[in-house]
Amino acid sequence: MTGVAVVGGGGQGGPGRAGAGQADARPPGNPLRRAFGQYATGVTVVTARGADGRRVAMTANSFTSVSLDPPLVLWCPGANAPSLPHFRSATHFAVHVLAADQHQLSSRFATPAEDKFADTPTTDGIAGTPLLEGVVARFQCRTVQFVDAGDHVVMIGEVEHYEAPGGEPLVFHSGRYHLATKHPDV
């Protein structure tokens, strides 16, 4: 059966692992990660100002709305992300839904750097949260809850202010950036 795998269990050290003396026939990379990557998402940059005043940001595609009343959103940074302690100490964060022409911002904020904001104009939002310009939507949120979940942390925020000027979004699918297009049949 193509595209089907059992997660966990299995003999010989689990599914997809070669037995003693056999070469590993799997393609490189994590097959579960590749399967998750078949779900197309938007691309966001999440920013905050830590309790020590440091501006932090990271690219995330694990963003979703949770509730309209109260207005809640969530995103999921990696539990080992270097900036996670700063996000945990921040009272607020902002989620920026990137436009199709902002793939360079996505790459910049996904890459470790001493100052990810260098040469990137920002304004200060609620609680000094750095705000990026030119995005298709932005949500300024008060941090309300953290939930440890495996190798990630679920961060839930209550939306205190939002803007949605619209535009063409940046899309991520199967490990690559894509452009959204209108379906010809709709």
Side-chain angles (χ1 to χ4, degrees):
M1 296 173 85
T2 303
V4 176
V6 177
V7 178
Q12 303 288 339
R17 299 204 44 195
Q22 294 178 324
D24 191 342
R26 292 179 301 168
N30 182 316
L32 181 57
R33 183 178 180 135
R34 283 195 310 276
F36 285 156
Q38 294 308 302
Y39 181 65
T41 66
V43 181
T44 69
V45 170
V46 184
T47 61
R49 188 173 298 273
D52 63 357
R54 181 178 175 190
R55 298 185 308 169
V56 293
M58 67 173 64
T59 300
N61 68 339
S62 58
F63 165 73
T64 191
S65 60
V66 175
S67 170
L68 289 173
D69 187 17
L72 299 174
V73 299
L74 69 76
W75 70 289
C76 304
N80 296 320
S83 56
L84 182 60
H86 299 286
F87 278 103
R88 282 188 180 271
S89 73
T91 61
H92 290 75
F93 62 86
V95 179
H96 305 82
V97 180
L98 298 185
D101 63 352
Q102 293 182 308
H103 54 88
Q104 296 91 351
L105 278 180
S106 171
S107 296
R108 172 183 297 194
F109 289 108
T111 305
E114 189 64 34
D115 181 8
K116 291 183 179 186
F117 291 93
D119 302 322
T120 302
T122 63
T123 56
D124 285 347
I126 299 171
T129 302
L131 302 179
L132 305 174
E133 299 300 320
V135 297
V136 298
R138 177 174 43 227
F139 305 90
Q140 294 185 65
C141 306
R142 179 178 54 83
T143 304
V144 296
Q145 188 175 4
F146 302 96
V147 179
D148 292 327
D151 58 3
H152 281 71
V153 175
V154 178
M155 294 186 67
I156 301 172
E158 183 169 355
V159 178
E160 292 186 344
H161 183 78
Y162 69 93
E163 300 156 63
E168 294 298 320
L170 183 60
V171 176
F172 195 72
H173 174 259
S174 197
R176 296 181 185 196
Y177 297 116
H178 293 267
L179 300 175
T181 60
K182 295 177 183 162
H183 197 285
D185 295 340
V186 182

